[in-house]
Amino acid sequence: MPDAYILGIESSCDETAAAVVRSGEQLVSNVVYSQFVTHRPYGGVVPELASREHLRAIVPVVRQALDDAGRSYQTIDAIAVTQGPGLAGSLLVGLSYAKALAYAVEKPLIGVNHLEGHIHAVLLEERQKGNHELEFPVLALVVSGGHTHLFLVEGKSGAWRYHDVGHTRDDAAGEAFDKVAKLLELGYPGGPAIDFLARHGNPQAVKFPFAQIKHHDRNPQNRHADDESRVDFSYSGIKTAVLRYVETHDMREDINRRRQALAALASPAREDYLAACDQATLDLVASFQHAMVNDLVSKTLLAVREQDAATLLVTGGVAANSELRASFEQRASKEGLGVYFPSLKLSTDNAAMIAAAAYPRFLAGEFAAPELSADAALRLR
Ligand code: KG4
Ligand code: ZN
């Protein structure tokens, strides 16, 4: 099989990214332009600003990825692009650009689901390390700012297939990190800020109980192999619990003081946020993260047992969390379960994962029709 060089393009949220991957197993170049400076003043992604930034960045980012790879438009074999899910306006920028480029340089176009991309970030790096055989059944937890999803993965031959065996009923886990960080004025994006600050607090100081959501579809007619047993998540309650804690413990004044102290700095560093937090805040942050991690790990391991999975993949932006990684590694090893994460660089949004996920489709000749359109709510199957 000759080598195939796939150019990946990703623009589903607030990162404009392009990458070249060889045959789904070697990262050749990887360029990520993050818009966090644009969105930081708002404490969250502003969709209109995101599309505008993608428009400005898409051409130079793609050129840079090709230059870094030492490839031209003519010496790539296919173009892969994120079709969804994501912000409609953001998706449209990458998709329209990829379509026009594929047409102009006469290369096949492959539409990729963003969540499948996150799963293939792990597979790409495992192949790069020489690990080509994963033990099936494989369960994947995709946990990011927009998603908290458990998929049972089938990929032994031909195209990969995914069965939804659990997802969040409301907020995504990353969204909870971002909202709690915003409430407590801890910096943006919230996940990495909390990850850093939590190391300085007591994770046992505040207890946040989670409900066990387990749903069995009792109607045999609705029953499929993949939904007989589901493990669902819910992360909107913990955000309210943190807010209630802030109100009942008179932490408002402290938060306002922190906002003012940090507003006086041109570009505050993590250490500045740390210096602006008292011990009660650090304890609250550490307890919040500990509760989130415990819930994510416990429910995922429950799903592993329900599905009798032999391998677990944990991926998406929140998979960069240090406590989550340590907890999964420790608890999975006790159960003799193999658990794999992407490197920190490929945990958050990137285009290498899109190019890697496209490779099996490239081999199968599954190319997109010229009318391929963005789908903000695209489901993974
Ligand atoms: O995968 P991603 O880049 O974008 C989406 O597809 O949503 O994930 C971004 C999310 C944000 O919510 C961010 O706060 C969270 O991942 N995140 C983290 C960490 N790094 C990023 N959450 C917890 N701990 C981290 N170290
Ligand atoms: Zn993502």
Side-chain angles (χ1 to χ4, degrees):
M1 178 66 60
D3 284 339
Y5 288 84
I6 300 185
L7 169 68
I9 298 176
E10 150 68 36
S11 71
S12 67
C13 190
D14 60 340
E15 262 98 26
T16 319
V20 175
V21 172
R22 182 183 60 77
S23 305
E25 65 175 33
Q26 190 206 347
L27 183 63
V28 186
S29 69
N30 183 35
V31 179
V32 180
Y33 167 71
S34 171
Q35 308 175 355
F36 85 97
V37 176
T38 304
H39 303 291
R40 189 168 52 192
Y42 307 93
V45 178
V46 183
E48 290 77 8
L49 297 182
S51 333
R52 198 178 70 188
E53 287 290 299
H54 284 306
L55 275 173
R56 280 153 46 125
I58 190 90
V59 174
V61 163
V62 169
R63 285 214 181 118
Q64 186 70 50
L66 286 172
D67 283 355
D68 290 356
R71 299 258 137 198
S72 67
Y73 293 127
Q74 293 313 326
T75 58
I76 51 166
D77 297 288
I79 298 169
V81 65
T82 306
Q83 188 191 356
L87 300 170
S90 291
L91 286 166
L92 264 178
V93 177
L95 193 88
S96 317
Y97 181 75
K99 273 166 80 169
L101 186 62
Y103 180 75
V105 301
E106 298 180 335
K107 298 291 175 187
L109 180 69
I110 301 165
V112 174
N113 184 304
H114 182 82
L115 302 183
E116 180 172 31
H118 275 301
I119 292 171
H120 279 260
V122 188
L123 302 175
L124 160 64
E125 292 191 307
E126 285 307 312
R127 290 189 204 110
Q128 194 154 290
K129 288 180 213 154
N131 177 10
H132 289 263
E133 292 299 328
L134 287 180
E135 204 183 326
F136 281 82
V138 172
L139 188 79
L141 170 68
V142 183
V143 59
S144 70
H147 308 275
T148 304
H149 233 114
L150 282 167
F151 293 103
L152 194 62
V153 183
E154 270 178 39
K156 277 186 199 165
S157 57
W160 293 67
R161 293 282 170 258
Y162 306 88
H163 303 279
D164 175 342
V165 295
H167 57 245
T168 181
R169 295 192 173 184
D170 40 55
D171 290 358
E175 203 177 338
F177 273 91
D178 293 335
K179 286 178 176 168
V180 165
K182 187 175 178 185
L183 165 72
L184 298 174
E185 295 282 343
L186 302 176
Y188 175 83
I194 288 180
D195 194 349
F196 171 72
L197 294 170
R199 288 168 212 163
H200 301 270
N202 172 9
Q204 310 295 343
V206 188
K207 297 275 175 262
F208 292 109
F210 277 100
Q212 198 74 285
I213 304 176
K214 210 162 155 294
H215 158 86
H216 287 272
D217 198 326
R218 304 209 180 274
N219 180 352
Q221 284 185 329
N222 293 341
R223 226 175 251 175
H224 301 286
D226 53 328
D227 66 18
E228 271 192 344
S229 51
R230 301 179 47 84
V231 179
D232 282 342
F233 306 87
S234 166
Y235 294 117
S236 72
I238 191 165
K239 181 186 68 190
T240 319
V242 173
L243 176 62
R244 210 174 309 121
Y245 189 89
V246 163
E247 304 297 355
T248 53
H249 290 75
D250 296 326
M251 296 174 84
R252 277 279 170 211
E253 223 172 277
D254 181 60
I255 294 173
N256 288 336
R257 246 198 319 272
R258 184 158 49 249
R259 182 189 306 118
Q260 280 160 13
L262 291 158
L265 304 174
S267 101
R270 285 171 161 186
E271 286 69 21
D272 297 315
Y273 280 97
L274 177 60
C277 288
D278 61 3
Q279 197 55 46
T281 304
L282 294 171
D283 288 349
L284 175 60
V285 168
S287 301
F288 161 76
Q289 177 173 286
H290 188 68
M292 290 293 295
V293 166
N294 188 40
D295 188 71
L296 281 164
V297 176
S298 302
K299 287 189 178 144
T300 302
L301 293 181
L302 181 64
V304 164
R305 289 188 285 271
E306 294 274 354
Q307 304 297 336
D308 211 9
T311 300
L312 174 64
L313 312 181
V314 182
T315 185
V318 181
N321 187 272
S322 54
E323 188 178 345
L324 185 79
R325 284 181 179 234
S327 177
F328 261 124
E329 260 155 17
Q330 195 204 357
R331 290 174 62 180
S333 80
K334 265 194 208 150
E335 306 199 9
L337 173 77
V339 55
Y340 300 89
F341 301 89
S343 62
L344 291 185
K345 189 177 65 179
L346 294 196
S347 292
T348 47
D349 288 351
N350 64 85
M353 66 188 202
I354 303 302
Y359 182 62
R361 293 179 200 278
F362 175 81
L363 291 181
E366 277 182 36
F367 302 129
E371 57 274 13
L372 179 75
S373 58
D375 183 349
L378 186 66
R379 287 184 58 188
L380 181 58
R381 293 165 205 273

PDB file of all heavy atoms in Angstrom, residues 2 48 59 65 69 80 92 99 112 114 175 201 216 222 292-293 307 313 324 350 381:
ATOM      1  N   PRO A   2       0.825   2.118  -1.043  1.00  0.00           N
ATOM      2  CA  PRO A   2       1.662   3.325  -1.037  1.00  0.00           C
ATOM      3  C   PRO A   2       1.222   4.296   0.064  1.00  0.00           C
ATOM      4  O   PRO A   2       0.075   4.243   0.507  1.00  0.00           O
ATOM      5  CB  PRO A   2       1.420   3.931  -2.429  1.00  0.00           C
ATOM      6  CG  PRO A   2       0.152   3.337  -2.910  1.00  0.00           C
ATOM      7  CD  PRO A   2      -0.074   2.043  -2.192  1.00  0.00           C
ATOM      8  N   GLU A  48     -20.077  34.601  16.523  1.00  0.00           N
ATOM      9  CA  GLU A  48     -19.830  35.530  15.404  1.00  0.00           C
ATOM     10  C   GLU A  48     -18.338  35.857  15.286  1.00  0.00           C
ATOM     11  O   GLU A  48     -17.793  35.938  14.194  1.00  0.00           O
ATOM     12  CB  GLU A  48     -20.611  36.847  15.572  1.00  0.00           C
ATOM     13  CG  GLU A  48     -22.105  36.724  15.403  1.00  0.00           C
ATOM     14  CD  GLU A  48     -22.793  36.108  16.617  1.00  0.00           C
ATOM     15  OE1 GLU A  48     -22.145  35.903  17.673  1.00  0.00           O
ATOM     16  OE2 GLU A  48     -23.992  35.800  16.509  1.00  0.00           O
ATOM     17  N   VAL A  59      -6.543  30.547   5.488  1.00  0.00           N
ATOM     18  CA  VAL A  59      -5.566  30.432   4.394  1.00  0.00           C
ATOM     19  C   VAL A  59      -4.129  30.313   4.934  1.00  0.00           C
ATOM     20  O   VAL A  59      -3.420  29.365   4.599  1.00  0.00           O
ATOM     21  CB  VAL A  59      -5.735  31.589   3.377  1.00  0.00           C
ATOM     22  CG1 VAL A  59      -4.635  31.558   2.328  1.00  0.00           C
ATOM     23  CG2 VAL A  59      -7.114  31.504   2.724  1.00  0.00           C
ATOM     24  N   ALA A  65       0.669  24.566   7.317  1.00  0.00           N
ATOM     25  CA  ALA A  65       0.678  23.104   7.528  1.00  0.00           C
ATOM     26  C   ALA A  65       1.339  22.411   6.340  1.00  0.00           C
ATOM     27  O   ALA A  65       2.102  21.449   6.511  1.00  0.00           O
ATOM     28  CB  ALA A  65      -0.741  22.594   7.729  1.00  0.00           C
ATOM     29  N   ALA A  69       5.106  20.524   6.299  1.00  0.00           N
ATOM     30  CA  ALA A  69       5.162  19.121   5.874  1.00  0.00           C
ATOM     31  C   ALA A  69       6.036  18.955   4.629  1.00  0.00           C
ATOM     32  O   ALA A  69       6.297  17.820   4.207  1.00  0.00           O
ATOM     33  CB  ALA A  69       3.750  18.612   5.581  1.00  0.00           C
ATOM     34  N   ALA A  80      -9.267  16.322   4.075  1.00  0.00           N
ATOM     35  CA  ALA A  80     -10.295  15.915   5.048  1.00  0.00           C
ATOM     36  C   ALA A  80     -10.731  17.145   5.811  1.00  0.00           C
ATOM     37  O   ALA A  80      -9.903  17.983   6.168  1.00  0.00           O
ATOM     38  CB  ALA A  80      -9.717  14.894   6.014  1.00  0.00           C
ATOM     39  N   LEU A  92     -18.762  26.201   8.650  1.00  0.00           N
ATOM     40  CA  LEU A  92     -18.918  26.618   7.254  1.00  0.00           C
ATOM     41  C   LEU A  92     -17.622  27.160   6.657  1.00  0.00           C
ATOM     42  O   LEU A  92     -17.346  26.930   5.481  1.00  0.00           O
ATOM     43  CB  LEU A  92     -19.984  27.710   7.156  1.00  0.00           C
ATOM     44  CG  LEU A  92     -21.378  27.230   6.802  1.00  0.00           C
ATOM     45  CD1 LEU A  92     -22.329  28.412   6.784  1.00  0.00           C
ATOM     46  CD2 LEU A  92     -21.368  26.529   5.431  1.00  0.00           C
ATOM     47  N   LYS A  99     -13.814  22.519   0.390  1.00  0.00           N
ATOM     48  CA  LYS A  99     -14.512  22.132  -0.845  1.00  0.00           C
ATOM     49  C   LYS A  99     -13.910  22.851  -2.051  1.00  0.00           C
ATOM     50  O   LYS A  99     -13.637  22.244  -3.089  1.00  0.00           O
ATOM     51  CB  LYS A  99     -16.010  22.488  -0.745  1.00  0.00           C
ATOM     52  CG  LYS A  99     -16.822  21.393  -0.097  1.00  0.00           C
ATOM     53  CD  LYS A  99     -18.185  21.861   0.289  1.00  0.00           C
ATOM     54  CE  LYS A  99     -19.175  21.901  -0.843  1.00  0.00           C
ATOM     55  NZ  LYS A  99     -20.548  22.121  -0.350  1.00  0.00           N
ATOM     56  N   VAL A 112     -15.475  14.575   7.873  1.00  0.00           N
ATOM     57  CA  VAL A 112     -15.190  13.822   9.102  1.00  0.00           C
ATOM     58  C   VAL A 112     -16.013  14.380  10.258  1.00  0.00           C
ATOM     59  O   VAL A 112     -16.180  15.590  10.393  1.00  0.00           O
ATOM     60  CB  VAL A 112     -13.670  13.897   9.437  1.00  0.00           C
ATOM     61  CG1 VAL A 112     -13.373  13.246  10.784  1.00  0.00           C
ATOM     62  CG2 VAL A 112     -12.839  13.249   8.339  1.00  0.00           C
ATOM     63  N   HIS A 114     -16.329  15.418  13.962  1.00  0.00           N
ATOM     64  CA  HIS A 114     -15.357  15.938  14.930  1.00  0.00           C
ATOM     65  C   HIS A 114     -15.090  14.949  16.082  1.00  0.00           C
ATOM     66  O   HIS A 114     -13.950  14.804  16.540  1.00  0.00           O
ATOM     67  CB  HIS A 114     -15.898  17.264  15.484  1.00  0.00           C
ATOM     68  CG  HIS A 114     -15.003  17.941  16.458  1.00  0.00           C
ATOM     69  ND1 HIS A 114     -13.934  18.722  16.077  1.00  0.00           N
ATOM     70  CD2 HIS A 114     -15.013  17.961  17.810  1.00  0.00           C
ATOM     71  CE1 HIS A 114     -13.324  19.187  17.160  1.00  0.00           C
ATOM     72  NE2 HIS A 114     -13.965  18.736  18.220  1.00  0.00           N
ATOM     73  N   GLU A 175     -17.693  22.325  29.741  1.00  0.00           N
ATOM     74  CA  GLU A 175     -18.544  23.494  29.935  1.00  0.00           C
ATOM     75  C   GLU A 175     -18.650  23.810  31.434  1.00  0.00           C
ATOM     76  O   GLU A 175     -18.626  24.977  31.824  1.00  0.00           O
ATOM     77  CB  GLU A 175     -19.923  23.124  29.375  1.00  0.00           C
ATOM     78  CG  GLU A 175     -20.798  24.232  28.964  1.00  0.00           C
ATOM     79  CD  GLU A 175     -22.098  23.660  28.356  1.00  0.00           C
ATOM     80  OE1 GLU A 175     -22.127  22.487  27.897  1.00  0.00           O
ATOM     81  OE2 GLU A 175     -23.084  24.403  28.355  1.00  0.00           O
ATOM     82  N   GLY A 201      -5.249  23.210  46.447  1.00  0.00           N
ATOM     83  CA  GLY A 201      -6.373  23.171  47.383  1.00  0.00           C
ATOM     84  C   GLY A 201      -6.627  21.767  47.925  1.00  0.00           C
ATOM     85  O   GLY A 201      -6.031  20.793  47.458  1.00  0.00           O
ATOM     86  N   HIS A 216     -32.368   2.019  31.698  1.00  0.00           N
ATOM     87  CA  HIS A 216     -32.615   0.803  30.932  1.00  0.00           C
ATOM     88  C   HIS A 216     -33.887   1.026  30.141  1.00  0.00           C
ATOM     89  O   HIS A 216     -34.913   1.389  30.721  1.00  0.00           O
ATOM     90  CB  HIS A 216     -32.828  -0.405  31.856  1.00  0.00           C
ATOM     91  CG  HIS A 216     -31.561  -0.866  32.490  1.00  0.00           C
ATOM     92  ND1 HIS A 216     -30.724  -1.769  31.892  1.00  0.00           N
ATOM     93  CD2 HIS A 216     -30.978  -0.534  33.654  1.00  0.00           C
ATOM     94  CE1 HIS A 216     -29.678  -1.983  32.680  1.00  0.00           C
ATOM     95  NE2 HIS A 216     -29.811  -1.241  33.749  1.00  0.00           N
ATOM     96  N   ASN A 222     -37.970  -1.088  21.617  1.00  0.00           N
ATOM     97  CA  ASN A 222     -36.985  -0.014  21.431  1.00  0.00           C
ATOM     98  C   ASN A 222     -35.572  -0.492  21.693  1.00  0.00           C
ATOM     99  O   ASN A 222     -34.628   0.267  21.594  1.00  0.00           O
ATOM    100  CB  ASN A 222     -37.261   1.143  22.409  1.00  0.00           C
ATOM    101  CG  ASN A 222     -38.558   1.825  22.072  1.00  0.00           C
ATOM    102  OD1 ASN A 222     -39.043   1.671  20.960  1.00  0.00           O
ATOM    103  ND2 ASN A 222     -39.110   2.537  23.026  1.00  0.00           N
ATOM    104  N   MET A 292     -15.825  16.215  39.783  1.00  0.00           N
ATOM    105  CA  MET A 292     -15.996  16.005  38.342  1.00  0.00           C
ATOM    106  C   MET A 292     -15.239  14.751  37.898  1.00  0.00           C
ATOM    107  O   MET A 292     -15.760  13.899  37.174  1.00  0.00           O
ATOM    108  CB  MET A 292     -15.449  17.206  37.553  1.00  0.00           C
ATOM    109  CG  MET A 292     -16.246  18.478  37.683  1.00  0.00           C
ATOM    110  SD  MET A 292     -17.889  18.378  36.945  1.00  0.00           S
ATOM    111  CE  MET A 292     -17.508  18.170  35.228  1.00  0.00           C
ATOM    112  N   VAL A 293     -13.984  14.666  38.330  1.00  0.00           N
ATOM    113  CA  VAL A 293     -13.134  13.538  37.929  1.00  0.00           C
ATOM    114  C   VAL A 293     -13.721  12.233  38.453  1.00  0.00           C
ATOM    115  O   VAL A 293     -13.835  11.245  37.718  1.00  0.00           O
ATOM    116  CB  VAL A 293     -11.683  13.753  38.443  1.00  0.00           C
ATOM    117  CG1 VAL A 293     -10.874  12.469  38.356  1.00  0.00           C
ATOM    118  CG2 VAL A 293     -11.007  14.864  37.652  1.00  0.00           C
ATOM    119  N   GLN A 307     -20.379  -2.952  29.162  1.00  0.00           N
ATOM    120  CA  GLN A 307     -20.110  -3.293  27.758  1.00  0.00           C
ATOM    121  C   GLN A 307     -19.030  -4.362  27.632  1.00  0.00           C
ATOM    122  O   GLN A 307     -18.677  -4.735  26.523  1.00  0.00           O
ATOM    123  CB  GLN A 307     -19.664  -2.038  26.971  1.00  0.00           C
ATOM    124  CG  GLN A 307     -20.647  -0.883  27.046  1.00  0.00           C
ATOM    125  CD  GLN A 307     -21.993  -1.216  26.427  1.00  0.00           C
ATOM    126  OE1 GLN A 307     -22.099  -2.098  25.579  1.00  0.00           O
ATOM    127  NE2 GLN A 307     -23.039  -0.528  26.868  1.00  0.00           N
ATOM    128  N   LEU A 313     -10.443   4.325  25.624  1.00  0.00           N
ATOM    129  CA  LEU A 313      -9.792   5.527  25.082  1.00  0.00           C
ATOM    130  C   LEU A 313     -10.436   6.734  25.750  1.00  0.00           C
ATOM    131  O   LEU A 313     -11.666   6.805  25.826  1.00  0.00           O
ATOM    132  CB  LEU A 313      -9.989   5.637  23.567  1.00  0.00           C
ATOM    133  CG  LEU A 313      -9.720   4.399  22.698  1.00  0.00           C
ATOM    134  CD1 LEU A 313      -9.950   4.740  21.224  1.00  0.00           C
ATOM    135  CD2 LEU A 313      -8.303   3.903  22.904  1.00  0.00           C
ATOM    136  N   LEU A 324      -7.684  13.825  36.096  1.00  0.00           N
ATOM    137  CA  LEU A 324      -8.494  12.837  35.367  1.00  0.00           C
ATOM    138  C   LEU A 324      -7.600  11.711  34.833  1.00  0.00           C
ATOM    139  O   LEU A 324      -7.917  10.532  34.950  1.00  0.00           O
ATOM    140  CB  LEU A 324      -9.240  13.512  34.206  1.00  0.00           C
ATOM    141  CG  LEU A 324     -10.209  12.599  33.457  1.00  0.00           C
ATOM    142  CD1 LEU A 324     -11.511  12.435  34.225  1.00  0.00           C
ATOM    143  CD2 LEU A 324     -10.518  13.124  32.058  1.00  0.00           C
ATOM    144  N   ASN A 350      -7.672  19.932  17.074  1.00  0.00           N
ATOM    145  CA  ASN A 350      -6.555  19.981  16.125  1.00  0.00           C
ATOM    146  C   ASN A 350      -7.033  19.338  14.828  1.00  0.00           C
ATOM    147  O   ASN A 350      -8.117  18.742  14.785  1.00  0.00           O
ATOM    148  CB  ASN A 350      -5.350  19.235  16.711  1.00  0.00           C
ATOM    149  CG  ASN A 350      -5.629  17.759  16.894  1.00  0.00           C
ATOM    150  OD1 ASN A 350      -5.476  16.967  15.972  1.00  0.00           O
ATOM    151  ND2 ASN A 350      -6.120  17.372  18.076  1.00  0.00           N
ATOM    152  N   ARG A 381     -22.058   7.626  14.244  1.00  0.00           N
ATOM    153  CA  ARG A 381     -22.598   6.273  14.233  1.00  0.00           C
ATOM    154  C   ARG A 381     -21.562   5.283  13.746  1.00  0.00           C
ATOM    155  O   ARG A 381     -20.732   5.626  12.942  1.00  0.00           O
ATOM    156  CB  ARG A 381     -23.787   6.175  13.258  1.00  0.00           C
ATOM    157  CG  ARG A 381     -24.967   6.949  13.686  1.00  0.00           C
ATOM    158  CD  ARG A 381     -25.900   7.086  12.492  1.00  0.00           C
ATOM    159  NE  ARG A 381     -26.727   8.240  12.609  1.00  0.00           N
ATOM    160  CZ  ARG A 381     -27.897   8.266  13.247  1.00  0.00           C
ATOM    161  NH1 ARG A 381     -28.343   7.207  13.825  1.00  0.00           N
ATOM    162  NH2 ARG A 381     -28.585   9.368  13.300  1.00  0.00           N
TER     163      ARG A 381
END
